[in-house]
Amino acid sequence: MSRKLPSLNAVKVFESAVRHGTTVGAAAEMGVTHGAISRQIQQLEDWIGRPLFKREMGRLVVTDAGAAYAEIVGRALDLVNDGTQALLDVSDNVVRVTTTASFASEWLMPRLWDFQSRHQHVEIWVEEGKEIVNPRSGGCDLAIRMGFGEWSGVHVEPLMDDKLFPVCSPEIAVQLRYPRDLGKFSLLHDDDPQAQWSRWLSQVGIEMTPGNTKLFNRGARFASSSLLLRAASAGQGVALARERLAESWLESGKLVCPFPESVELANAYWLVTRHGIEPRRPLRVFMAWLRQQVRPSHTF
């Protein structure tokens, strides 16, 4: 049967523009210029013979017909993607993993040699990412994420819990007898909303008055837990660390835990896979190995 189809590249560009809501977002995804996106959309509209967007004060607003067409096109592209990937999976021993840079460098990478030595026929490709993506449709087999596991459209499985406690260099630790002594040093912070100093300080009985809040909020801030731990090991101050990410630093003695108190975190690390699809054998093997790597939580 002969099919009357427009340019598939123009269709992909159109669907991306609708999904992102802007031609700028589509240009970033497709790796082309903003002008190239506009030309492809115009080409598709000319081929179909009706507008898919309205131009309002320099903005593109999808028409009702365009929205309906984008939904159909999106489903079709997903089917092509899934069918292509399923075909590749017949001989594909690559497991594509996405996780945060800090988790990859501080927890996964130090252990990955063990997996590769046991399963030399499986290749693990690790990419950095923070957003929750739909595995396979998002270009990965497995996402490892920190959170509460309340993500729709995917299958989630808890991997391990975590807790918070202060860490610092041994040289600083000998000067810390009581939690209030922390006021003599710079406290190091990262952008993790669950790992704020006020949580631990309140746990050990330090009232967060305006004065104390100002005192304990000072100090350098870092974009990731990995950078935070490196700064603490360099003696730049005291960091509030996640136990799972600080394990190797504590075991090496480059960081120590000056106080026994810790704060249990309600959120956990999760294994996120595609919903309703049995994982391929290489992925099952890797996930089983990840479960074996989880040690009982303890305070150093």
Side-chain angles (χ1 to χ4, degrees):
M1 179 182 68
S2 177
R3 292 183 173 87
K4 186 177 181 181
L5 298 173
S7 164
L8 293 183
N9 191 52
V11 169
K12 287 169 58 181
V13 165
F14 161 72
E15 188 272 340
S16 178
V18 173
R19 181 160 34 85
H20 285 283
T22 66
T23 55
V24 174
E29 177 181 313
M30 305 296 292
V32 298
T33 65
H34 173 272
I37 296 294
S38 298
R39 287 192 295 273
Q40 289 287 342
I41 291 175
Q42 185 64 59
Q43 177 185 336
L44 181 61
E45 290 180 322
D46 291 344
W47 192 92
I48 292 176
R50 63 188 304 180
L52 300 173
F53 290 96
K54 294 181 290 185
R55 278 71 176 176
E56 296 182 355
M57 299 181 66
R59 295 176 57 250
L60 287 179
V61 179
V62 66
T63 64
D64 290 343
Y69 188 50
E71 183 177 353
I72 295 171
V73 166
R75 293 199 302 267
L77 291 175
D78 283 343
L79 284 173
V80 173
N81 176 80
D82 294 348
T84 302
Q85 194 59 56
L87 183 62
L88 293 174
D89 285 346
V90 173
S91 58
D92 186 6
N93 286 323
V94 172
V95 175
R96 301 166 183 83
V97 181
T98 172
T99 188
T100 63
S102 292
F103 185 84
S105 62
E106 306 302 335
W107 192 92
L108 183 58
M109 290 299 102
R111 295 168 169 80
L112 199 55
W113 66 268
D114 177 78
F115 177 84
Q116 297 291 194
S117 67
R118 295 170 184 265
H119 307 283
Q120 298 180 14
H121 64 290
V122 179
E123 294 183 23
I124 306 300
W125 294 3
V126 181
E127 297 181 0
E128 178 186 356
K130 292 184 178 181
E131 294 77 18
I132 291 299
V133 298
N134 190 339
R136 184 59 67 202
S137 295
C140 72
D141 299 290
L142 171 69
I144 305 176
R145 292 292 185 271
M146 187 73 175
F148 298 96
E150 299 173 347
W151 304 297
S152 61
V154 293
H155 179 268
V156 296
E157 172 191 334
L159 176 63
M160 58 186 176
D161 56 9
D162 211 345
K163 58 186 177 184
L164 298 170
F165 45 64
V167 297
C168 60
S169 66
E171 293 76 16
I172 290 180
V174 297
Q175 304 175 62
L176 296 172
R177 296 186 60 191
Y178 307 102
R180 63 175 177 269
D181 293 336
L182 288 168
K184 304 174 185 177
F185 296 90
S186 293
L187 298 189
L188 308 178
H189 312 260
D190 65 12
D191 62 359
D192 184 347
Q194 298 295 320
Q196 301 303 307
W197 269 104
S198 58
R199 298 190 62 183
W200 186 86
L201 293 166
S202 298
Q203 177 93 355
V204 298
I206 294 180
E207 184 181 359
M208 296 310 295
T209 62
N212 279 342
T213 298
K214 182 178 181 180
L215 174 65
F216 292 115
N217 273 344
R218 63 186 174 84
R221 282 166 166 73
F222 300 89
S224 71
S225 297
S226 187
L227 294 174
L228 179 80
L229 293 169
R230 279 161 173 72
S233 71
Q236 295 182 24
V238 186
L240 190 62
R242 290 181 178 272
E243 177 190 0
R244 301 298 186 179
L245 301 184
E247 282 179 352
S248 62
W249 292 90
L250 294 163
E251 290 172 352
S252 70
K254 294 179 180 179
L255 289 175
V256 297
C257 182
F259 304 110
E261 294 86 356
S262 62
V263 175
E264 299 288 339
L265 289 170
N267 54 358
Y269 292 95
W270 298 80
L271 302 178
V272 185
T273 54
R274 191 175 178 190
H275 179 70
I277 300 294
E278 177 69 17
R280 297 176 297 118
R281 186 177 183 280
L283 177 55
R284 296 199 305 272
V285 169
F286 184 62
M287 291 173 65
W289 173 82
L290 285 171
R291 299 183 194 104
Q292 294 170 357
Q293 296 302 304
V294 178
R295 306 173 187 174
S297 180
H298 61 280
T299 300
F300 290 81

